[in-house]
Amino acid sequence: MRWILGTALAATAAFSGPALAQDCAATVSANDAMQFVEKELRVSRSCTTFNLTLKHVGTLAANIMGHNWVLAATPDYTAIATAGMTAGPANNYVPPGDARVLIASKVIGGGEETTISFDASKLEAGGDYTYFCSFPGHFALMSGKLIVE
Ligand code: CU
């Protein structure tokens, strides 16, 4: 019996090594038509550093068709977007010090990109998360689902 248990443990250890490389980076594109191209993003909790790149594939300037990438629990995101309008461009349309904001990039214009890093292990597996653009008037069209695996 002891021999069988020992074998099972050894097999488990062999499969849990660092050989399984996770993809800890993703790009979400945004365009001049006020859309995120990717409406869903999968993030592994094994990624203690996840690099998210927001790429503005349009040509319009940041003050006209600026986009950012903000992550929140789904029930919070519309309220954050509303508060973001008041926060204004100096704050990238993100309410400063708002604990409901989990991750937020700066606002970028056409042809630009920005990368933010976050610790995906702090997200809840199976949690209900939405990413959105908090530029005034954009959140209704610009949102997507972040799935934590
Ligand atoms: Cu936008």
Side-chain angles (χ1 to χ4, degrees), residues 1-148:
M1 198 61 194
R2 176 173 288 176
W3 182 84
I4 293 169
L5 187 63
T7 304
L9 285 172
T12 303
F15 283 114
S16 63
L20 295 172
Q22 287 289 344
D23 189 2
C24 294
T27 298
V28 172
S29 300
N31 61 28
D32 282 343
M34 212 192 288
Q35 292 168 332
F36 283 129
V37 176
E38 294 79 14
K39 313 262 194 252
E40 191 178 287
L41 182 64
R42 291 177 181 270
V43 172
S44 168
R45 289 188 77 246
S46 68
C47 297
T48 49
T49 302
F50 191 95
N51 293 313
L52 186 284
T53 298
L54 171 67
K55 188 173 174 143
H56 193 322
V57 296
T59 58
L60 295 173
N63 62 335
I64 298 165
M65 185 55 71
H67 300 308
N68 64 358
W69 190 92
V70 182
L71 183 72
T74 297
D76 293 335
Y77 90 95
T78 55
I80 295 169
T82 304
M85 274 189 251
T86 310
N91 292 304
N92 289 288
Y93 299 106
V94 175
D98 191 324
R100 297 172 301 179
V101 177
L102 303 178
I103 303 158
S105 81
K106 64 179 183 177
V107 171
I108 57 171
E112 296 178 329
E113 64 176 59
T114 184
T115 299
I116 44 171
S117 299
F118 58 92
D119 183 353
S121 72
K122 295 194 170 154
L123 298 172
E124 194 182 319
D128 186 7
Y129 298 103
T130 293
Y131 59 88
F132 63 101
C133 173
S134 68
F135 192 92
H138 287 199
F139 74 93
L141 283 175
M142 295 188 73
S143 68
K145 189 172 178 57
L146 184 134
I147 297 162
V148 185

